[in-house]
Amino acid sequence: MKSYYKKALILLLINYITCTQVTAQNNEVNWLSFNQLEDSLAVKPKKVFIHFYADWCVLCNKMERKTYKDSTVINKLNKEYYAVKMNVESTEKITFGGNTYENKNAKKVNSIHQIPLLMASRKNKPFSLPATVILDENFIATARYFQFLNSKQLLKTIQ
């Protein structure tokens, strides 16, 4: 009788560990493209969170590894925002709001796509990464951040 309970307990433990690992692997921000964003906004208006990054940006990569892996950040973004992540060096032509945007200098090193230039530029300052733009339900920018944000800082910005 004892060995039966022992085997059942071991099976339950294995099942629990397996389920926990699967849940942890699926626990990530539901990033959208700008095309998906436009479709989503047409169906249901919602606040928008945009993270602009580049592959070479050390702080962008750190946010990806740390900030966007925090379960509280993931839950908050997925529940209350449409989250968009865009590589600023993208060469993709993107149609959004009836306009087409592109990276006009795509053949140059560190070229920047038109969308981040329009949404995350600052007057009299060069474009910098990481760049985060937060918009309300009417697609009006309510905040812009041009720095690394750890999970605690990011949660303060999206409260």
Side-chain angles (χ1 to χ4, degrees):
M1 196 81 146
K2 287 183 181 182
S3 67
Y4 171 78
Y5 288 115
K6 197 175 196 178
K7 287 178 184 177
L9 184 60
I10 290 171
L11 288 173
L12 284 171
L13 185 59
I14 290 170
N15 187 38
Y16 172 77
I17 292 169
T18 304
C19 289
T20 303
Q21 288 173 343
V22 169
T23 303
Q25 290 170 354
N26 292 334
N27 195 16
E28 56 188 37
V29 176
N30 296 324
W31 295 110
L32 302 176
S33 67
F34 272 94
N35 292 333
Q36 293 168 320
L37 174 63
E38 187 166 34
D39 293 342
S40 298
L41 287 170
V43 173
K44 181 185 176 196
K46 195 173 178 181
K47 294 182 279 188
V48 178
F49 177 91
I50 304 172
H51 172 66
F52 292 110
Y53 74 97
D55 293 336
W56 49 262
C57 172
V58 174
L59 294 176
C60 301
N61 290 323
K62 185 175 179 182
M63 284 183 73
E64 187 67 36
R65 283 190 325 273
K66 304 266 186 189
T67 308
Y68 298 126
K69 298 297 182 196
D70 181 277
S71 62
T72 309
V73 168
I74 293 166
N75 292 333
K76 182 82 168 173
L77 286 175
N78 288 344
K79 183 178 179 186
E80 297 180 23
Y81 290 83
Y82 290 125
V84 177
K85 181 168 67 168
M86 181 183 180
N87 186 332
V88 298
E89 295 180 315
S90 172
T91 57
E92 178 183 2
K93 283 189 179 186
I94 299 171
T95 301
F96 187 83
N99 298 312
T100 301
Y101 302 95
E102 62 185 310
N103 187 337
K104 291 187 176 184
N105 297 315
K107 296 190 193 270
K108 293 184 181 178
V109 176
N110 295 339
S111 63
I112 302 171
H113 197 280
Q114 285 179 311
I115 289 178
L117 286 175
L118 288 169
M119 297 186 81
S121 288
R122 297 178 284 176
K123 193 174 184 174
N124 300 323
K125 291 189 178 185
F127 182 84
S128 63
L129 292 172
T132 303
V133 179
I134 300 172
L135 303 111
D136 66 14
E137 294 87 351
N138 299 311
F139 210 69
I140 296 171
T142 58
R144 289 182 175 90
Y145 299 92
F146 304 93
Q147 66 192 50
F148 169 82
L149 296 169
N150 64 31
S151 56
K152 186 177 179 180
Q153 293 167 320
L154 181 61
L155 285 168
K156 268 187 176 179
T157 68
I158 59 177
Q159 291 301 340

